[in-house]
Amino acid sequence: MNRAATDQPQAGTDWELIGRDSRGGEIRITATADQLAKLTNGLAIGRHRRVCDFVVPDETMSRRHFRLLRTADGLMIEDLHSLNGTYIDGWRLEPFQLVPLRDGMAITAGHVRLTANLVRQA
């Protein structure tokens, strides 16, 4: 978690969160640079269709579990005061704490396990 600020990818990059839900189903969340730039409140991820931009239908996820948010410091991940917590590389985020998203980070939300992947643009 203690990487230099220069490790943060530039604003024009795309991200994928790839992993499995608590039943082994595949999850793939794509967050493009254009999409993130347009969403002033970030990309909300959770199990409720009305309040999330990406739905993960898993009972261990909160309605609004976490979000990805573009800031001046780069792409951040933030737990939205979820019941089961959001973990980055095994470390539990405090609610509403912004943490820089890094390539290869392991994200656990409830029993959903994801890996953050920076999509290299040609």
Side-chain angles (χ1 to χ4, degrees), residues 35-52:
Q35 180 184 32
L36 290 165
K38 292 175 187 173
L39 296 171
T40 57
N41 290 322
L43 181 76
I45 299 163
R47 65 177 163 80
H48 198 282
R49 294 187 188 285
R50 289 190 179 169
V51 296
C52 290

Side-chain angles (χ1 to χ4, degrees), residues 42-101:
L43 181 76
I45 299 163
R47 65 177 163 80
H48 198 282
R49 294 187 188 285
R50 289 190 179 169
V51 296
C52 290
D53 302 295
F54 191 91
V55 176
V56 178
D58 189 290
E59 61 275 357
T60 66
M61 294 275 294
S62 292
R63 290 179 194 161
R64 289 183 75 234
H65 202 101
F66 68 92
R67 73 177 173 157
L68 302 178
L69 180 67
R70 173 70 59 201
T71 71
D73 294 325
L75 188 62
M76 304 293 208
I77 184 168
E78 174 185 36
D79 179 76
L80 297 173
H81 205 262
S82 62
L83 179 64
N84 291 322
T86 302
Y87 294 79
I88 301 296
D89 293 334
W91 176 69
R92 187 173 180 149
L93 297 181
E94 292 295 323
F96 308 111
Q97 174 187 11
L98 292 173
V99 173
L101 192 65

Side-chain angles (χ1 to χ4, degrees), residues 1-44:
M1 294 286 306
N2 294 328
R3 296 182 190 166
T6 56
D7 289 346
Q8 180 67 25
Q10 299 301 313
T13 56
D14 297 343
W15 287 86
E16 283 187 328
L17 304 182
I18 300 171
R20 302 249 174 231
D21 64 21
S22 63
R23 295 185 178 154
E26 183 178 337
I27 298 172
R28 183 178 297 266
I29 300 168
T30 301
T32 67
D34 289 340
Q35 180 184 32
L36 290 165
K38 292 175 187 173
L39 296 171
T40 57
N41 290 322
L43 181 76

